[in-house]
Amino acid sequence: MKFKSFFFVLLVLSFGNCSQNDIRPAFTEDSDDPGDSVVIVVNMSPIASDYLNELIVIMQDNSINKETIDWISFKNEVFEEANQAQTIQDTYPGILKALALLGDNHSFFRTATGGFLNANNASCNGMGFSTPELSNTIGYVKVNNYNGASVTEQGIAFAQEIQNQIIAYDNSEIIGWIVDLRGNVGGNMWPMLTGIGPVLGDGIAGYFSYPDESLKSWRYIDGVSRIDEIIIMQLNSPYTLINPNPKVAVLLDNAVASSGEAITVSFLGRANTKTFGKNTCGLSTANEQFTMSDSAKLFLTTSYMADRNQYIYGSEIEPEQISTSESIISDAIAWIEN
């Protein structure tokens, strides 16, 4: 993956105790090329200005919207919002402003002390759900959200719990499965993908699509989840369905977001698959984690989600059949049995 790099020069001018009359714009544009611009900071400490510049460089090099943002204007607005900042904590209003200006509605920032800065305004409301009563010819799997790391005892246990659900339902009479994603607000997609893999089936399930039009695949094969050929997570004893390649009904609602939408995308384009319910939340983009100099984390939106046929999303995913909370299970069963 190649990213175009932008460079700017930081010029910190120390004037001792500046009065209000000394405050000037944080940036001046010295040429038509943003890469040649000179940053002049006179109204905040070097610690604060360096920290904001560190953040902006990461955003400028990696944001999904990096080619469409006016970075000179962006930088000025961020520094103006953090006017008079002396400490890293003082820069947080500027960071919040930067998150809003990115325009992806998905990026967020976790401070070194564990606080969160989030400018997202997406409203994701679920329809509610309960475990349905089904005949022994239809399997049911609930895939909840997961916020922990992948390669940990907790991550492995989460993926195994999903496969345990599959094991509990699977039998030789199964003709189809219901995969219930309702209420899955996201988190870490890899334990979800690894867990639901036996029903999803082996192979490429989707792609991360970057601004330079490059693609990285995500896939599940025999208990192992990968980005391209890089192993992200695996189970030691993965389950295999008795009747492979079944019909699958995927249940959605407006609370399905982010990694929940990644699992949705994983089923799109799969044979014998149909989605039911309501539009997803609209965060079908992917974040990458960047560590700041003080150990804070920037979770920056860097790519769109694309299905196995390389159709790119990035907003709400509309189900193939609109269903209410009252009809969604019966609609799914009717399709599976048809």
Side-chain angles (χ1 to χ4, degrees), residues 153-283:
E153 183 177 340
Q154 181 185 16
I156 296 296
F158 181 90
Q160 188 62 60
E161 189 277 332
I162 295 175
Q163 293 208 359
N164 288 345
Q165 291 184 58
I166 298 171
I167 293 168
Y169 274 94
D170 199 20
N171 67 80
S172 60
E173 303 300 318
I174 290 285
I175 61 172
W177 290 81
I178 293 174
V179 175
D180 195 345
L181 297 178
R182 291 177 295 173
N184 188 330
V185 295
N188 185 340
M189 68 176 281
W190 300 106
M192 303 177 201
L193 181 67
T194 306
I196 199 60
V199 174
L200 176 65
D202 287 356
I204 291 175
Y207 294 88
F208 301 109
S209 175
Y210 292 88
D212 64 358
E213 299 184 352
S214 64
L215 296 169
K216 287 180 179 285
S217 67
W218 73 75
R219 62 188 73 188
Y220 174 89
I221 300 176
D222 193 25
V224 181
S225 294
R226 292 179 169 90
I227 295 179
D228 288 340
E229 298 301 327
I230 300 172
I231 294 176
I232 304 299
M233 186 179 183
Q234 65 185 71
L235 293 178
N236 291 328
S237 300
Y239 185 69
T240 301
L241 292 184
I242 295 172
N243 299 323
N245 304 314
K247 296 181 76 170
V248 179
V250 181
L251 310 188
L252 307 174
D253 66 10
N254 187 238
V256 177
S258 189
S259 289
E261 286 168 301
I263 304 305
T264 303
V265 169
S266 296
F267 280 94
L268 299 178
R270 178 189 178 277
N272 295 317
T273 304
K274 187 173 182 178
T275 52
F276 298 82
K278 299 184 182 300
N279 288 10
T280 64
C281 185
L283 300 179

Side-chain angles (χ1 to χ4, degrees), residues 76 277 300 322:
N76 273 295
L300 181 66
I322 301 297

Side-chain angles (χ1 to χ4, degrees), residues 270-308:
R270 178 189 178 277
N272 295 317
T273 304
K274 187 173 182 178
T275 52
F276 298 82
K278 299 184 182 300
N279 288 10
T280 64
C281 185
L283 300 179
S284 53
T285 51
N287 289 351
E288 292 184 42
Q289 176 183 297
F290 297 85
T291 302
M292 298 287 290
S293 56
D294 67 336
S295 298
K297 309 291 185 184
L298 171 63
F299 295 84
L300 181 66
T301 304
T302 59
S303 62
Y304 297 101
M305 295 175 188
D307 64 27
R308 63 188 65 203

Side-chain angles (χ1 to χ4, degrees), residues 38-109:
V38 177
V39 180
I40 301 177
V41 182
V42 296
N43 57 334
M44 62 178 65
S45 73
I47 291 174
S49 60
D50 286 352
Y51 196 74
L52 284 178
N53 277 300
E54 177 188 357
L55 178 88
I56 293 170
V57 165
I58 295 172
M59 292 177 170
Q60 193 170 6
D61 285 349
N62 300 287
S63 169
I64 197 172
N65 294 326
K66 64 180 183 178
E67 302 294 347
T68 60
I69 291 173
D70 179 345
W71 289 104
I72 294 298
S73 175
F74 184 100
K75 296 169 189 174
N76 273 295
E77 289 192 53
V78 170
F79 270 76
E80 288 168 5
E81 191 70 23
N83 188 28
Q84 303 288 346
Q86 298 300 303
T87 66
I88 288 176
Q89 187 172 359
D90 292 340
T91 68
Y92 291 167
I95 294 174
L96 192 60
K97 181 70 171 181
L99 293 170
L101 291 173
L102 287 173
D104 58 49
N105 211 35
H106 197 178
S107 297
F108 62 95
F109 187 88

Side-chain angles (χ1 to χ4, degrees), residues 317-332:
I317 299 170
E318 182 177 353
E320 294 166 272
Q321 181 169 332
I322 301 297
S323 298
T324 66
S325 57
E326 292 78 20
S327 70
I328 191 168
I329 296 296
S330 60
D331 291 342

